[in-house]
Amino acid sequence: MGEQPDVELSVSLGAADPDAVRAACQALAPLGTWVAAGGELGPKTTYRVGGRAAVLVTARSEADLVLVAAAAEASRLPVLVVGRGSNLLVADGGFGGIALLLDPAGFGAVTIDSSTVRAGGAVALPTLARQTVDAGLTGLEWAVGVPGSVGGGVRMNAGGHGSDIAHSLRHCRVADLGLRRGAQVEQWGVLDLRYGYRTSAIGLRHVVVDAEFALLPGDRDAGRETIRDIVRWRREHQPGGQNAGSVFTNPPGEPSADSAGWLIETAGCKGRRWGSAMVSPKHANFIQSDSGGSADDVRALMELVRIEVDRVHGITLHTEVRLIGFPPQPSMSGRDL
Ligand SMILES: Cc1cc2nc3c(=O)[nH]c(=O)nc-3n(C[C@H](O)[C@H](O)[C@H](O)COP(=O)(O)OP(=O)(O)OC[C@H]3O[C@@H](n4cnc5c(N)ncnc54)[C@H](O)[C@@H]3O)c2cc1C
């Protein structure tokens, strides 16, 4: 699987063509109050910093996705699917495209039939972990520690504690918002997803509508104990507050290769600050934002860490966090490194 670019979508709110924004809003008009021109996007992420989207729309059904596809085609604006925003950093200057949210009322169902579990794209992974354990199944306990959605997890191949989505996903349904695709829904098997470490074949034009997992019968009490252990481990080893989990992916190599956290810590970056952003003193691969902080400070600190790790270890780190609305090349705004 090829490396994903660090900046996923580089168009800022200021760069959005007003005519294109009008065309998108016109195409989405049947959705009424579920569409907002200039809607707040940053606060919808776990970083809780960053700006607005040119158009923010919430889809309540697959039929609504057809309108979103029409809006994308009419305006040629880029579309960003937003799950629980736990792996996104939106620039202070916002995002000049259509940010699409999935409403849990339409995309939040979980059905369990023997050991087959179907979950909507908007279902929270921790909820799915607990529900499947309560149903006497095993395989998704690890997901209790990942504060994302099923859709975001399927795209990112989220994982932890020795497992990941690819381990138990059977297939998912994907709506294609691409030109002339009209939100056509297709079923993708796990091989179609071409899973790698935190990567998949799901692209920007794809919306994971729902997913089906094949789990195994398990012991309910043992599953609940595992969940308690994972939650305890996370509290002990990871900071709370405003962040998006691990900033950088671990460099490729054997499992024994040095983790991004170790590389950052031994490059002397733990606890480093840049304006309102700080490398967590608890876990060096987490960058925290202060309350009321700036996404551009977080981005600048990411770059500072990357430069230091490269200087000390000769290894280039790549972000796991998806960067939205930033220029492809980071600007340190003239501040001294
Ligand atoms: C405290 C903390 C701990 C974390 N720990 C882990 C961990 O242990 N393991 C791990 O893997 N991750 C971890 N993460 C990161 C994050 O939770 C995962 O990457 C998660 O899968 C992101 O899901 P999301 O719904 O929040 O996606 P978002 O952050 O909203 O989006 C992430 C990407 O997925 C895309 N996307 C979102 N929803 C859909 C959809 N329905 N269809 C298509 N594309 C979609 C977005 O466009 C974007 O490219 C952690 C984050 C935090 C804040």
Side-chain angles (χ1 to χ4, degrees), residues 8 81 83-87 148-149 152-153 155 158-159 198 206 208 234 245:
E8 185 154 89
V81 190
R84 297 181 77 82
S86 63
N87 203 39
S149 65
R155 181 179 186 197
R198 304 287 176 264
H206 299 128
V208 177
R234 296 254 169 184

Side-chain angles (χ1 to χ4, degrees), residues 47-51 90 92 242 273-277 288-298:
Y47 259 121
R48 300 202 293 282
V49 293
V90 178
D92 293 331
Q242 297 176 216
R273 204 169 239 292
W274 184 277
S276 58
Q288 301 280 118
S289 170
D290 293 346
S291 158
S294 144
D296 296 356
D297 282 349
V298 175

